[in-house]
Amino acid sequence: MTLADVRRAAGRIRWYVRELTGESAYDRYVAHARSCDPGAPVMTRRAFERSRTDAREADPREGFRCC
């Protein structure tokens, strides 16, 4: 196995983990926001995550959260 193979495998694993954990959602949001309206302000990562959490907890279809 060459170094290029290891790097390629590591890149694929990194992509998978970021997709699985939702880490890449902010990157997609920024790319979408900048492509739709380049002059509009973009939420910070913290504000984006807070917005996602609020939306998830407000939607009863997402499941029940007791605490």
Side-chain angles (χ1 to χ4, degrees), residues 40-55:
V42 176
M43 282 191 279
T44 63
R45 180 177 290 274
R46 184 178 184 133
F48 174 78
E49 292 298 337
R50 183 75 244 165
S51 174
R52 268 182 64 188
T53 302
D54 290 345

Side-chain angles (χ1 to χ4, degrees), residues 8-53:
R8 189 172 21 260
R12 288 179 180 164
I13 292 169
R14 181 178 181 270
W15 174 87
Y16 181 76
V17 169
R18 290 187 78 225
E19 289 294 324
L20 187 65
T21 61
E23 179 73 20
S24 61
Y26 180 73
D27 297 334
R28 282 193 302 271
Y29 157 73
V30 171
H32 175 75
R34 288 190 176 146
S35 69
C36 289
D37 189 3
V42 176
M43 282 191 279
T44 63
R45 180 177 290 274
R46 184 178 184 133
F48 174 78
E49 292 298 337
R50 183 75 244 165
S51 174
R52 268 182 64 188
T53 302

